[in-house]
Amino acid sequence: MQKTKRIGLLINDSYSDYELELTQGVLDCCNDNGYSLLVFPIEELNTNYSPFSYQKRSITSFATENNIDGLVMASAVLGNFVSKSELFNYLLEHFAFLK
């Protein structure tokens, strides 16, 4: 029996119109191709809008090689306050298993 591929989606939040539309589009694509989707709302990088920002980012620890096979990152919303290289380094640091 073939294992269902699991795609992780990194977004800023799960309530803005933009990210709801984005998530729905990725979900539709996953459904069309027989994949499952796990959504990780981690907040923008390098910001502290709330005292709970660290908790939102800690959700990345649940995205491991044991539960995702691929990753989609909403870089336009996650990378507003970091450079491209900082965004890339974040991916390498937290998701190196996807290389």
Side-chain angles (χ1 to χ4, degrees):
M1 187 166 135
Q2 187 176 3
K3 181 178 99 169
T4 300
K5 295 289 184 184
R6 298 153 304 180
I7 304 300
L9 174 61
L10 293 181
I11 58 174
N12 176 32
D13 60 56
S14 57
Y15 52 83
S16 71
D17 289 341
Y18 173 79
E19 286 169 299
L20 288 172
E21 294 269 339
L22 176 67
T23 301
Q24 188 60 56
V26 174
L27 179 60
D28 290 345
C29 183
C30 285
N31 288 337
D32 290 348
N33 292 285
Y35 300 160
S36 59
L37 179 65
L38 289 92
V39 180
F40 302 95
I42 64 169
E43 199 168 270
E44 289 174 290
L45 302 178
N46 205 26
T47 61
N48 288 307
Y49 290 132
S50 75
F52 305 108
S53 293
Y54 72 95
Q55 291 174 327
K56 289 182 179 181
R57 283 195 206 84
S58 71
I59 200 170
T60 58
S61 66
F62 293 104
T64 70
E65 65 271 9
N66 296 322
N67 63 8
I68 64 171
D69 301 298
L71 185 69
V72 175
M73 178 183 212
S75 59
V77 292
L78 293 174
N80 284 324
F81 300 103
V82 296
S83 68
K84 287 180 187 177
S85 63
E86 289 172 309
L87 191 59
F88 186 70
N89 287 336
Y90 180 84
L91 287 174
L92 288 176
E93 181 181 339
H94 295 282
F95 304 101
F97 62 90
L98 292 173
K99 286 185 184 179

